[in-house]
Amino acid sequence: MSVTNHQLIASAPLSSSSSSFFAHSNITSSRAQIVGVRVKNAGVVKCVATPPAQQTAYTSKVSRNPNMAKLEAGYLFPEIGRRRSAHMLKYPDAQVISLGIGDTTEPIPDVITSAMAKRAHDLSTLDGYSGYGAEQGEKKVRAAIASTYYGGLGIEEGDIFVSDGAKCDIARLQMLFGSDVTMAVQDPSYPAYVDSSVIMGQTGQYQKDSEKYGKIEYMRCIPENGFFPDLSTVGKTEIIFFCSPNNPTGAAATREQLTKLVQFAKDNGSIIVYDSAYAMYISDDSPRSIYEIPGAKEVAIETASFSKYAGFTGVRLGWTVVPKELLFSDGFPVAKDFNRIVCTCFNGASNISQAGGLACLSPQGLEAMKEVIGFYKENTKIIVDTFKSLGFNVYGGTNAPYVWVHFPGRSSWDVFSEILEKTHVVTTPGSGFGPGGEGFVRVSAFGHRDNILEACRRFKELYK
Ligand SMILES: Cc1ncc(COP(=O)(O)O)c(C=O)c1O
């Protein structure tokens, strides 16, 4: 039986990527009109409304992956996109401002796009054409990451796997670990860790009362503990996902805290997956890499990304460091298995993106990235000052592009809905990042300055 585009749209999972794909097909239904709506001052919004319940005349004989069925709700950000779409249908003239998903908004610096354009043009020439590259990334890109980003930390070119972004690497790392490992996450944390763990079958069922999955160790990170878990109460797990600066709280772990974390991993024989996607936002002397901590190479993998530094959320380029010193319990190097996963599941990052990555790491590229980051950090300050002036307790912001605002005693989704309904500003409900985020809302500093100022004006109006 053939499946038309129309049916696919109606039954597609809620995903912003699928919606932008179908936006280019020539479907004329009202659903197509929802896709790619341009809202004044808000840029193009790419998301779809909830698909209607589908009557299916035919089912395959393939049973659903039971791990997929364990996933409690849709992935957080498509769900926010869905609510934003519904809001825009309700208020078609509203000037919706999106400070929710955490997507970058400012143009990529010219020094970086010029390098990508040159590489793209070179592909039109006999001499400049190249097809598949090394799965691990181009030698010069790996070398530049090792020397520029990890200079002096003993990380070598061969330890670096260039990728199409940190999220994709998180999934590949989960494939590396398999279904039998136990894992710990900061609570709250970036949802990809928990969701990929569920999909891999590492967890039990979702427990409605605790809002946690069985077999995951949730490491509470709240203002009372300075957003660093009390490790004396954390159960032993094989894998520990740790993100610093943290999305969503914006907290960066100090050297002392990371030293404790590395020691904790060593004591338990665990592997840390350290997500440093926001490291360049650090303004104080918190470590930018886990490898600044002595002994970390024996216990930690680090994943990183150009997404939030150079506006590469759409270009796609990141990397993961698996040091040769990191060994499984039988002495087998973790990097060798990761290499096998990468060679099996990935055909190398785009050569055009890698040309951009190389330009990012040039002296001019680094300067340009710092400027972009500086711009977003000014936005952060505007948001922090706004909420502080309204009497809220506000966290994050100093070392990250996220502001974590406390609404004590209130449900995050209620606050999210209140802000959306009354100000037409999209934020992210803290509970979407784990039960520890309940009562908080994350406000992203990724936005054009006019939109940030306008959003803050509206916040002041609402909460004065
Ligand atoms: C903590 C964290 N890790 C990873 C990612 C994904 O980054 P990438 O665009 O490189 O896939 C994000 C994106 O928001 C993030 O917040």
Side-chain angles (χ1 to χ4, degrees):
M1 182 182 129
S2 73
V3 180
T4 63
N5 273 354
H6 208 124
Q7 285 171 305
L8 277 171
I9 281 193
S11 60
L14 293 174
S15 130
S16 51
S17 52
S18 61
S19 64
S20 54
F21 175 76
F22 283 112
H24 297 292
S25 64
N26 54 359
I27 302 154
T28 51
S29 72
S30 59
R31 179 163 307 283
Q33 289 159 19
I34 298 166
V35 178
V37 179
R38 180 172 281 279
V39 177
K40 262 185 273 171
N41 295 340
V44 176
V45 176
K46 289 176 246 150
C47 48
V48 292
T50 315
Q54 187 74 348
Q55 288 283 321
T56 39
Y58 169 83
T59 62
S60 75
K61 293 196 172 59
V62 180
S63 41
R64 189 175 177 210
N65 178 342
N67 295 321
M68 294 302 297
K70 280 183 204 162
L71 287 168
E72 178 47 17
Y75 189 71
L76 174 65
F77 297 111
E79 173 62 18
I80 289 169
R82 189 189 68 72
R83 291 185 185 226
R84 181 179 55 181
S85 282
H87 183 79
M88 284 160 51
L89 282 179
K90 189 171 165 194
Y91 300 103
D93 294 327
Q95 297 188 1
V96 175
I97 298 173
S98 186
L99 305 181
I101 276 165
D103 194 4
T104 46
T105 54
E106 299 312 294
I108 300 173
D110 188 60
V111 59
I112 299 164
T113 48
S114 301
M116 289 194 281
K118 180 172 182 318
R119 184 66 171 266
H121 283 298
D122 286 353
L123 292 175
S124 302
T125 66
L126 268 182
D127 282 348
Y129 176 75
S130 62
Y132 289 127
E135 289 91 342
Q136 305 80 0
E138 291 172 12
K139 191 175 160 52
K140 53 190 173 188
V141 179
R142 300 174 84 190
I145 292 171
S147 62
T148 311
Y149 203 88
Y150 296 104
L153 296 180
I155 297 297
E156 293 170 7
E157 178 191 316
D159 299 329
I160 288 160
F161 294 82
V162 180
S163 75
D164 51 349
K167 197 192 216 180
C168 318
D169 273 345
I170 290 162
R172 286 187 281 262
L173 286 168
Q174 291 285 25
M175 205 179 291
L176 168 78
F177 300 133
S179 305
D180 291 337
V181 295
T182 49
M183 65 102 96
V185 286
Q186 288 153 295
D187 176 25
S189 67
Y190 180 55
Y193 316 136
V194 166
D195 284 9
S196 58
S197 179
V198 175
I199 291 168
M200 282 301 296
Q202 296 165 359
T203 76
Q205 296 292 341
Y206 184 74
Q207 318 286 327
K208 276 220 156 46
D209 48 343
S210 63
E211 297 174 336
K212 294 176 179 175
Y213 287 94
K215 286 169 69 181
I216 289 188
E217 183 72 29
Y218 289 77
M219 305 185 292
R220 196 80 154 180
C221 295
I222 49 177
E224 289 73 18
N225 61 14
F227 296 101
F228 187 80
D230 175 0
L231 295 174
S232 69
T233 65
V234 172
K236 174 176 166 172
T237 60
E238 277 142 330
I239 309 300
I240 303 169
F241 276 90
F242 198 92
C243 177
S244 179
N246 179 270
N247 175 10
T249 66
T254 64
R255 194 168 304 272
E256 196 193 353
Q257 289 170 334
L258 289 181
T259 304
K260 281 189 192 153
L261 183 71
V262 166
Q263 191 56 50
F264 179 73
K266 220 164 234 180
D267 291 345
N268 291 334
S270 313
I271 293 178
I272 299 167
V273 176
Y274 189 78
D275 186 337
S276 67
Y278 300 96
M280 283 183 72
Y281 282 81
I282 293 177
S283 305
D284 62 20
D285 60 359
S286 303
R288 278 135 181 88
S289 163
I290 190 73
Y291 303 118
E292 291 184 37
I293 308 302
K297 284 193 218 110
E298 288 163 11
V299 295
I301 290 169
E302 179 165 305
T303 188
S305 170
F306 288 101
S307 282
K308 309 295 165 89
Y309 308 157
F312 269 29
T313 46
V315 172
R316 311 301 307 146
L317 197 72
W319 70 88
T320 286
V321 184
V322 189
K324 62 189 89 43
E325 291 85 348
L326 182 64
L327 307 174
F328 285 117
S329 56
D330 63 358
F332 195 82
V334 175
K336 278 201 172 176
D337 272 357
F338 190 61
N339 187 56
R340 188 73 168 80
I341 297 275
V342 165
C343 290
T344 303
C345 307
F346 185 50
N347 255 336
S350 148
N351 42 23
I352 297 170
S353 304
Q354 291 192 73
L358 206 53
C360 286
L361 297 166
S362 69
Q364 302 91 322
L366 287 167
E367 266 321 297
M369 287 199 296
K370 277 185 199 147
E371 243 177 70
V372 174
I373 291 166
F375 173 84
Y376 290 131
K377 291 192 73 161
E378 284 168 15
N379 282 352
T380 311
K381 186 169 179 336
I382 295 167
I383 299 168
V384 167
D385 290 350
T386 298
F387 280 102
K388 278 193 174 159
S389 75
L390 293 166
F392 287 94
N393 280 329
V394 182
Y395 305 93
T398 317
N399 291 319
Y402 298 124
V403 181
W404 191 236
V405 188
H406 200 190
F407 292 81
R410 295 198 59 195
S411 133
S412 300
W413 276 110
D414 284 354
V415 177
F416 165 88
S417 300
E418 172 179 275
I419 293 176
L420 182 59
E421 185 68 26
K422 300 204 172 133
T423 69
H424 306 301
V425 178
V426 183
T427 56
T428 307
S431 57
F433 298 96
E438 187 55 287
F440 289 85
V441 160
R442 189 195 77 173
V443 184
S444 159
F446 293 119
H448 302 314
R449 182 60 47 83
D450 285 355
N451 283 342
I452 299 288
L453 291 170
E454 173 60 17
C456 287
R457 191 193 63 72
R458 295 182 198 172
F459 294 147
K460 283 186 178 157
E461 191 64 25
L462 175 61
Y463 292 117
K464 66 186 173 212

